[in-house]
């Protein structure tokens, strides 16, 4: 079959980026981070919507390279090489219960168990179980997952560190029940908006769809019980598809005969303008890729 | 075609009642119905009465939506070859009586079969109306040598969506129905035709 969709493969930044990324795989960076944090018995303080993690200079470097959290401030104490990082809910839960390299504690410095933290995070964000499931799904495949709010999504996904590569996907999380966790893509204006915005920043809209299979989202058992489907949504252009096909066949772009009239004649905006100026001229339109 | 249309017009112009109907017959939408094979019109105007009846019945029962006409027009104008989904191109095989009808006075058996045909079609379409996303067109790539009796490989199927965007469950259901043929989902808003492709993917596991 020859329906040709625009391939928005990875856009590496600079000549050596791809090679550098290959030489320094994300899985290895994460693994190093994991070891280092376990060694120092790291604890993250749960406070409001965030978790704060204290990191030494080696850990700070690894956190930045593996894209977890945001650096907030340097410690003013004697340990001047310590830096504090602010972790998002999904990031903290992932590091604690999937990577198992930090402990999440409250003000009392007592480690909290998974169920407690799950409930707490769900009370902060009701769709946390779905967001986390999607986050976990991508991180386990070694994709870098960052907040996607500025692109109108839940996350953005990168193949490696953002300094090496542009993100490829704007991620929206959806689910069957729960009235679709984030209420997105329920109306056409939203669908058009999401697709246009993603395309406008050279990304593909990726929907991560969670199927609950009857599992309640009230506990961590939701994670094992639910499954994930990935779906991309792109705008299909009949014109572009036809021109792509002509290109692959080695044919020139379509000639628009302004003098030709059929009951189904349809012209592009450019050709329309030219028709107004010179109605009997043959119009040749070159199709370029945006 | 144009000759036949004016023939019909001349025949009916005396009869005011029929004038409106013949005006309908000249509408591009009528040609659309013929082109996509929704009407059994292999031979145009051999039986104008039968055509009109079918057309009016279709209109009455809202079998054909004019949104699908917009989508059809859009694709046709770009050179794609568009047929009604799972609809036989010609009804010669399905329905041999069509071409043999040559006058206003159709035989009793012809009339019955045509009514049956329309009824069965309307039943099929009313079932489809219930669902929000309906496969409507089989589309083939532009090809000047296209033969209706021996069509090319099907390029994609257009699903027309009424109401809100389809849910993932609906998309999956349609994908299963259409097996491995790609789907393009079409939404028409104020005559503006948009196509979306919902593709199941699997992001690779990275190193």
């Amino acid at each position: 079959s020859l329906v040709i969709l625009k391939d928005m493969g990875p856009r590496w930044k600079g000549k050596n980026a791809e090679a550098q990324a290959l030489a320094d795989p994300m899985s290895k960076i994460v693994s190093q981070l994991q070891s280092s944090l376990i060694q120092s018995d790291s604890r993250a303080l749960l406070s409001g919507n965030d978790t704060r993690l204290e990191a030494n200079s080696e850990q700070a470097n690894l956190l930045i390279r593996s894209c977890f959290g945001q650096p907030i401030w340097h410690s003013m104490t004697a340990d001047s090489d310590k830096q504090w990082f602010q972790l998002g809910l999904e990031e903290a839960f992932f590091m604690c219960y999937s990577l198992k390299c930090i402990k999440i504690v409250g003000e009392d410095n007592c480690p909290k168990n998974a169920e407690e933290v799950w409930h707490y995070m769900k009370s902060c964000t009701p769709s946390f179980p779905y967001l986390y499931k999607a986050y976990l799904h991508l991180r386990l495949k070694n994709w870098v997952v960052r907040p996607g709010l500025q692109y109108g999504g839940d996350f953005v996904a990168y193949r490696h560190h953002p300094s090496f590569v542009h993100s490829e996907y704007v991620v929206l999380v959806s689910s069957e029940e729960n009235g679709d966790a984030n209420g997105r893509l329920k109306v056409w204006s939203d669908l058009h908006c999401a697709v246009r915005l993603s395309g406008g920043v050279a990304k593909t809209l990726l929907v991560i769809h969670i199927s609950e299979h009857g599992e309640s989202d009230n506990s961590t058992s939701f994670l094992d019980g639910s499954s994930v489907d990935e779906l991309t949504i792109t705008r299909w252009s009949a014109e572009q598809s036809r021109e792509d096909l002509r290109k692959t066949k080695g044919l020139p772009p379509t000639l628009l005969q302004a003098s030709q009239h059929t009951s189904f004649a349809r012209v592009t905006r450019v050709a329309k303008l030219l028709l107004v100026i010179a109605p009997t001229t043959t119009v040749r339109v070159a199709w370029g890729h945006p | 075609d144009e000759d036949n249309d004016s023939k019909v017009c001349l025949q009916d112009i005396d009869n005011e009642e029929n004038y409106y109907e013949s005006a309908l017959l000249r509408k591009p939408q009528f040609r659309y119905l013929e082109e996509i094979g929704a009407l059994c019109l292999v031979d145009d105007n051999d039986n104008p009465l039968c055509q009109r009846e079918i057309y009016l019945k279709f209109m009455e029962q809202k079998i054909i939506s004019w949104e699908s006409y917009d989508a059809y027009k859009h694709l046709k104008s770009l050179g794609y070859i568009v047929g009604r989904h799972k609809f036989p191109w010609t009804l010669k095989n399905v329905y041999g009586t069509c071409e043999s009808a040559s006058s206003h006075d159709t035989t009793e058996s012809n009339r019955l079969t045509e009514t049956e045909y329309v009824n069965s079609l309307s039943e099929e379409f009313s079932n489809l109306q219930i669902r929000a996303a309906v496969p409507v067109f089989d589309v083939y790539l532009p090809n000047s040598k296209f033969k209706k009796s021996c069509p090319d490989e099907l390029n994609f199927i257009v699903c027309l969506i009424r109401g809100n965007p389809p849910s993932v469950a609906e998309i999956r259901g349609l994908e299963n129905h259409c097996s491995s043929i790609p789907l393009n989902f079409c939404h028409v808003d104020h005559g503006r035709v948009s196509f979306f492709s919902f593709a199941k993917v699997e992001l690779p596991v990275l190193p």
Side-chain angles (χ1 to χ4, degrees):
Chain A
S1 132
L2 287 172
V3 173
I4 298 157
L5 297 174
K6 267 218 211 116
D7 182 6
M8 300 239 250
R11 295 186 304 136
W12 298 97
K13 295 180 177 177
K15 268 190 292 185
N16 299 319
E18 191 175 0
Q20 277 179 285
L22 220 69
D24 194 18
M26 191 50 63
S27 57
K28 193 162 153 223
I29 305 171
V30 173
S31 166
Q32 286 169 344
L33 172 69
Q34 194 179 19
S35 311
S36 179
L37 289 169
I38 288 170
Q39 219 168 31
S40 62
D41 190 34
S42 291
R43 280 147 190 255
L45 175 64
L46 190 57
S47 164
N49 264 21
D50 305 311
T51 313
R52 310 250 170 100
L53 179 69
E54 197 185 32
N56 62 34
S57 54
E58 183 203 14
Q59 290 160 353
N61 174 268
L62 288 165
L63 282 165
I64 290 169
R65 282 166 60 208
S66 56
C67 307
F68 286 101
Q70 289 292 339
I72 32 179
W73 63 72
H74 281 279
S75 176
M76 302 292 262
T77 68
D79 299 316
S80 55
D81 75 333
K82 291 287 171 72
Q83 175 149 13
W84 285 89
F85 278 73
Q86 183 178 298
L87 302 173
L89 297 177
E90 296 86 24
E91 290 173 327
F93 201 94
F94 179 72
M95 290 175 74
C96 187
Y97 303 107
S98 181
L99 294 180
K100 298 194 199 328
C101 59
I102 61 170
K103 292 191 177 68
I104 292 179
V105 301
E107 301 286 342
D108 55 5
N109 205 33
C110 288
K112 294 185 182 297
N113 68 44
E115 300 306 317
E116 269 186 277
V117 179
W118 182 270
H119 276 277
Y120 178 83
M121 290 186 172
K122 202 180 154 202
S123 71
C124 293
T125 307
S127 55
F128 168 75
Y130 304 89
L131 295 171
Y132 180 68
K133 177 78 185 180
Y135 182 88
L136 177 69
H137 174 78
L138 292 173
R139 273 287 188 184
L140 289 177
K141 293 209 238 189
N142 300 315
W143 282 76
V144 168
V145 188
R146 298 296 287 163
L149 200 59
Q150 71 269 42
Y151 299 115
D154 294 312
F155 303 111
V156 281
Y158 296 82
R159 255 169 216 261
H160 206 281
H161 194 277
S163 64
F164 290 137
V165 66
H166 292 282
S167 69
E168 282 168 67
Y169 298 101
V170 175
V171 182
L172 280 178
V173 181
S174 88
S175 69
E176 251 154 54
E177 293 145 28
N178 200 46
D180 272 69
N182 57 11
R184 295 297 306 276
L185 309 182
K186 309 292 276 174
V187 292
W188 285 102
S189 51
D190 193 23
L191 186 62
H192 277 267
C193 175
V195 172
R196 191 178 265 263
L197 176 51
S198 306
V201 290
K203 298 177 201 325
T204 303
L205 183 62
L206 176 71
V207 173
I208 301 253
H209 182 76
I210 319 282
S211 303
E212 296 93 333
H213 304 299
E215 193 75 49
S216 156
D217 63 12
N218 273 329
S219 79
T220 60
S221 58
F222 175 80
L223 296 172
D224 288 326
S226 55
S227 64
V228 169
D229 282 303
E230 299 169 11
L231 197 70
T232 56
I233 305 180
T234 48
R235 186 80 184 266
W236 183 79
S237 159
E239 292 102 323
Q240 193 58 56
S241 185
R242 180 193 62 185
E243 294 311 308
D244 289 343
L245 177 71
R246 288 180 72 85
K247 244 191 189 169
T248 60
K249 284 187 170 173
L251 294 169
T254 305
L255 229 65
L256 287 182
Q257 303 276 1
S259 55
Q260 186 182 344
H261 172 70
T262 69
S263 54
F264 298 113
R266 180 183 153 92
V267 293
T268 64
R269 274 172 290 173
V270 169
K272 250 190 195 150
L273 182 66
L274 290 166
L275 278 175
V276 165
I277 298 164
T280 56
T281 313
T282 298
V283 176
R284 188 192 298 263
V285 177
W287 298 95
H289 282 270
Chain B
D1 265 359
E2 273 153 85
D3 282 338
N4 286 337
D5 273 349
S6 44
K7 221 200 286 174
V8 169
C9 185
L10 284 169
Q11 281 171 349
D12 299 332
I13 204 142
D14 295 335
N15 189 340
E16 265 193 41
E17 232 176 41
N18 287 335
Y19 182 73
Y20 178 64
E21 288 176 13
S22 62
L24 281 178
L25 288 174
R26 286 196 301 278
K27 270 186 175 297
Q29 290 92 326
F30 189 71
R31 283 225 181 79
Y32 153 65
L33 294 174
E34 292 174 289
E35 296 236 20
I36 61 168
L39 296 178
C40 62
L41 292 172
V42 175
D43 296 290
D44 277 273
N45 288 311
D46 275 335
N47 190 352
L49 195 69
C50 139
Q51 285 174 24
R52 251 182 266 132
E53 277 181 346
I54 293 174
Y55 181 67
L56 289 173
K57 262 220 155 141
F58 274 43
M59 287 288 280
E60 208 182 292
Q61 291 169 26
K62 298 184 172 48
I63 287 168
I64 310 296
S65 81
W66 302 120
E67 292 160 316
S68 67
Y69 169 62
D70 283 332
Y72 171 80
K73 188 171 73 167
H74 178 87
L75 289 171
K76 268 287 279 192
S77 69
L78 292 166
Y80 289 89
I81 295 155
V82 188
R84 186 139 213 124
H85 178 60
K86 282 198 177 158
F87 205 94
W89 281 100
T90 68
L91 292 166
K92 274 181 189 160
N93 306 322
V94 175
Y95 195 78
T97 54
C98 238
E99 46 176 324
S100 63
S102 56
S103 68
H104 284 260
D105 297 317
T106 52
T107 62
E108 202 51 51
S109 60
N110 283 353
R111 210 175 272 281
L112 202 63
T113 327
E114 277 150 15
T115 310
E116 274 177 355
Y117 171 70
V118 172
N119 287 340
S120 70
L121 259 189
S122 84
E123 197 185 296
E124 182 198 320
F125 289 130
S126 63
N127 284 336
L128 293 177
Q129 302 268 18
I130 295 165
R131 282 154 39 193
V134 176
V136 290
F137 297 129
D138 293 337
V139 185
Y140 306 82
L141 291 170
N143 178 7
S144 52
K145 302 197 184 85
F146 185 85
K147 281 198 177 70
K148 285 186 182 183
S149 50
C150 178
D152 293 342
E153 191 190 318
L154 184 53
N155 194 239
F156 61 88
I157 292 170
V158 174
C159 291
L160 189 67
I161 309 181
R162 302 206 165 88
N164 289 328
S167 66
V168 174
E170 269 189 292
I171 293 165
R172 269 201 221 118
L174 285 162
E175 275 173 356
N176 291 335
H177 168 78
C178 299
S179 44
S180 58
I181 299 161
L183 298 176
N184 272 326
F185 289 80
C186 178
H187 178 67
V188 183
D189 175 66
H190 295 93
R192 193 185 175 87
V193 181
S194 310
F195 289 95
F196 289 94
S197 175
F198 295 78
K200 195 170 160 76
V201 295
E202 207 166 301
L203 262 58
V205 176
L206 299 173

